[in-house]
Amino acid sequence: MTFDTIIRGGTVATASDTFACDVGITAGRITALGTDLGQAAEIVDAKGLLVLPGGIDSHVHISQPSGPGIVMADDFASATRSAAFGGNTMVLPFAMQQKGESLREVVKDYHKKADGQCYVDVSFHLIIADASDRVLGQELPALVNDGYTSFKVFMTYEGLALSDMEMLNVMTVARETGALVMVHAENYDAIRFLTDRLERAGKIETKYHGTSRPIAVEREATHRAISLAEIIDVPIMIVHVSNREAMEEIARAQRRGLKIYGETCPQYLVLTEKDMDGLNMEGAKYVCSPPPRDEASQVACWEGLEQGIFSLFSSDHCPFRYDDPQGKLNPKGRTSFRWVPNGIPGVETRLPILFSEGVGKGRISLNQFVALTATNHAKTYGLYPKKGTVAVGADADIAIWDPKRTETISQKLMHGGSDYTPYEGIEVTGWPVSTMVRGKFVVRDGKLVGALGAGAYVPRDKSELAKPRVA
């Protein structure tokens, strides 16, 4: 048999196994695993390197409306380019509905933004901001059947926060259609109350962003979201968990047999609330929600990854430029932390940080790394086994890693649209050197070689993980 490509001499790792193996690729798919595979149009030498499933970052925000006068730093071209350099072969951004909008029209608009503009594959989650009878009764069920099999709801933010009744109605549609609900769990009224009180006291610097969103508002909302899901008997994913208290709510639900899943992010492993205390608005670079916590919370989030309480590790990439009147330093943002755009870039640094801090320091195994960054994402969101693993029949979405390469994360190494990285100066060991999407190199030996438009939209199946406990 002759292959298009053979990746030869590397160490292959999946979520369950690690083995020396060559990878044969034909027509964009993996068609053989073994040794002495024969001939190929191209032989890729991977001796001394790791051959891993390409990362799937299932929580990213791209080209998303962000309020009057605020512009997100990444379009689909820059975001997916950055993703590819970070060892990712697929991202799942959000198509965000705003009040009064047709969900179907929102999806069409995001396709227009993405079509022909992606270096890696994409698929869309939906954000439900307007839980009207028309949306829930007509548009949402039809979109789920069209392959948009997950949607996110917010318990905070002006114009996005849903009431408990609206949450229950959305969860009911999820149960009836087989979709998975993602929940941003923070108590909106508590945050507004604390923000107003801080501003009246003149406490407006960026460091008070964390004070306005203490652990209790996340813990309470997490508990409430789980309770609502239990009432409906529907699985949910609690996204971007930042602390022990919220994690323990998830763990308790899991021990009771509820299908409650958890996700955490790099900012909760390597940043702290002290980073928001920079002079001259430097702290704005680290403003995201939930905010970075303290060292004890970092330890807890590592425990969540190690113990399997968190099944996903995502970036929550939500990039704004720092030194920009349409970004972090917008005129209103200078007057109070309330107006600093929420979000930080991270799609390019997600994998190196977890590899170095996790695998390199013995906190997680290489197989856990693959599960947390690729395989579990594919299983959770209806992409497995086409995506998320190195197996015969799967798409040849592959990241080739140098496990011994040491780099210091710096903005000069980044390839996205933001003008800073919040992880500046962090030294990591282990670095993706080449990224292949469906058998074609997008990044090779640290250089962009793929064409804009190489990435495609991928409709998704319904996930087994989204099935309720009782049919």
Side-chain angles (χ1 to χ4, degrees), residues 77-125:
S78 62
T80 57
R81 180 179 65 229
S82 185
F85 275 96
N88 300 282
T89 52
M90 188 171 188
V91 294
L92 276 70
F94 295 89
M96 189 182 84
Q97 180 198 36
Q98 298 184 81
K99 293 289 186 183
E101 291 183 334
S102 159
L103 198 56
R104 175 69 70 176
E105 290 303 313
V106 168
V107 169
K108 288 180 181 178
D109 288 344
Y110 274 84
H111 274 285
K112 288 178 184 177
K113 294 177 183 180
D115 287 352
Q117 297 297 308
C118 297
Y119 288 99
V120 303
D121 286 352
V122 300
S123 193
F124 294 120
H125 304 295

Side-chain angles (χ1 to χ4, degrees), residues 25-58:
I25 299 168
T26 309
R29 292 200 169 190
I30 298 169
T31 48
L33 298 172
T35 55
D36 301 322
L37 294 184
Q39 299 301 309
E42 181 177 26
I43 303 293
V44 177
D45 182 8
K47 185 177 180 180
L49 302 176
L50 298 176
V51 180
L52 308 181
I56 300 173
D57 196 341
S58 62

Side-chain angles (χ1 to χ4, degrees), residues 188-400:
Y188 180 45
D189 285 341
I191 292 167
R192 285 196 298 169
F193 168 79
L194 291 169
T195 299
D196 289 345
R197 191 165 70 171
L198 286 164
E199 287 186 334
R200 285 197 301 270
K203 297 177 178 179
I204 58 173
E205 300 94 271
T206 52
K207 66 180 180 180
Y208 291 109
H209 172 73
T211 310
S212 74
R213 309 176 96 93
I215 286 172
V217 307
E218 186 180 346
R219 177 197 52 74
E220 184 279 331
T222 300
H223 176 80
R224 182 157 42 100
I226 292 169
S227 299
L228 298 176
E230 184 177 10
I231 290 167
I232 303 298
D233 181 26
V234 64
I236 61 171
M237 170 67 69
I238 306 291
V239 296
H240 48 47
V241 178
S242 72
N243 61 84
R244 182 176 301 281
E245 288 85 341
M247 180 190 75
E248 288 179 344
E249 295 290 341
I250 296 169
R252 273 193 291 274
Q254 292 171 346
R255 288 195 297 270
R256 291 195 292 120
L258 300 180
K259 296 178 77 171
I260 307 298
Y261 311 115
E263 168 201 89
T264 194
C265 308
Q267 51 267 41
Y268 309 123
L269 302 183
V270 297
L271 301 179
T272 72
E273 58 199 0
K274 295 176 184 175
D275 290 304
M276 292 185 290
D277 194 14
L279 298 173
N280 300 319
M281 290 288 291
E282 285 285 326
K285 293 179 178 179
Y286 306 93
V287 167
C288 59
S289 293
R293 305 294 186 184
D294 55 13
E295 288 81 358
S297 294
Q298 291 179 343
V299 171
C301 288
W302 276 114
E303 289 177 13
L305 292 170
E306 293 162 9
Q307 297 170 13
I309 299 166
F310 300 140
S311 56
L312 299 185
F313 184 75
S314 306
S315 69
D316 193 10
H317 178 77
C318 187
F320 299 95
R321 292 180 63 81
Y322 169 67
D323 191 10
D324 190 324
Q326 294 182 312
K328 295 283 189 178
L329 297 188
N330 70 87
K332 288 182 73 174
R334 292 177 180 273
T335 69
S336 171
F337 66 86
R338 183 199 292 261
W339 306 111
V340 175
N342 256 276
I344 58 176
V347 70
E348 192 166 347
T349 47
R350 172 184 73 121
L351 299 180
I353 287 172
L354 187 64
F355 189 96
S356 183
E357 293 292 316
V359 180
K361 295 185 177 179
R363 292 179 168 115
I364 60 173
S365 69
L366 179 59
N367 308 111
Q368 285 176 295
F369 172 83
V370 171
L372 287 164
T373 60
T375 310
N376 290 353
H377 298 257
K379 290 180 176 180
T380 300
Y381 295 117
L383 293 161
Y384 188 83
K386 181 179 181 180
K387 303 286 190 182
T389 191
V390 177
V392 172
D395 283 359
D397 294 347
I398 291 169
I400 301 176

Side-chain angles (χ1 to χ4, degrees), residues 12-26:
V12 174
T14 67
S16 57
D17 299 293
T18 305
F19 46 91
C21 179
D22 297 344
V23 180
I25 299 168
T26 309

Side-chain angles (χ1 to χ4, degrees), residues 420-437:
Y420 79 100
T421 169
Y423 306 109
E424 186 79 33
I426 294 177
E427 185 177 282
V428 295
T429 299
W431 196 260
V433 293
S434 298
T435 305
M436 178 181 281
V437 176

